[in-house]
């Protein structure tokens, strides 16, 4: 079975600070794409909640602020879709993903 997603999910060494109804700092990402990200473990926000994120890429000493919407939250994971992302933010995210893969030897 192939993944029919528009943006493929990638395993990237990164974490995020998330500000929604709660503030969660340095939460590791389970996966990341140009369209959103997923966090492993029980969700702390409900679907539909808008959140502010700062993605951090430790291997690059880089960070990127983004806005997202929780699209799924349950006992297993929480998924966030990036919203209102500018071309500049998308370009920076693409660069950080590629640079992170290169730094990891992928």
């Amino acid at each position: 079975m192939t993944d029919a997603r528009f943006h493929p999910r990638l395993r990237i060494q990164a974490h995020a600070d998330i500000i929604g109804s709660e503030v969660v700092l340095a939460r590791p990402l389970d996966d990341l794409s140009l369209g959103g990200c997923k966090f492993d473990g029980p969700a702390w926000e409900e679907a539909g909640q808008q959140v502010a994120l700062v993605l951090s890429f430790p291997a690059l000493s880089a960070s990127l602020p983004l806005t997202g919407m929780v699209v799924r939250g349950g006992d297993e994971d929480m998924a966030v879709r990036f919203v209102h992302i500018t071309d500049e933010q998308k370009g920076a995210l693409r660069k950080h993903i590629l640079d992170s893969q290169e730094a990891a030897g992928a």
Side-chain angles (χ1 to χ4, degrees):
M1 177 181 274
T2 60
D3 191 351
R5 295 181 175 277
F6 187 70
H7 302 289
R9 297 176 183 182
L10 304 167
R11 302 280 180 175
I12 301 290
Q13 290 292 344
H15 60 270
D17 296 338
I18 307 101
I19 302 167
S21 62
E22 295 187 32
V23 175
V24 177
L25 302 176
R27 181 71 182 232
L29 298 179
D30 187 50
D31 63 47
L32 175 65
S33 75
L34 290 176
C37 60
K38 184 175 81 167
F39 301 94
D40 200 23
W44 61 93
E45 299 287 352
E46 292 189 26
Q49 175 72 39
Q50 186 162 329
V51 294
L53 303 104
V54 177
L55 301 183
S56 296
F57 302 85
L60 309 176
S61 297
S63 61
L64 179 63
L66 297 168
T67 303
M69 179 75 63
V70 177
V71 293
R72 185 180 67 249
D75 294 336
E76 301 293 320
D77 59 18
M78 185 174 90
V80 175
R81 179 181 62 230
F82 301 137
V83 296
H84 310 299
I85 187 169
T86 66
D87 289 340
E88 182 178 303
Q89 288 172 313
K90 189 171 273 190
L93 181 56
R94 182 178 285 115
K95 180 182 182 331
H96 293 335
I97 288 172
L98 292 171
D99 289 350
S100 293
Q101 288 178 311
E102 187 176 297

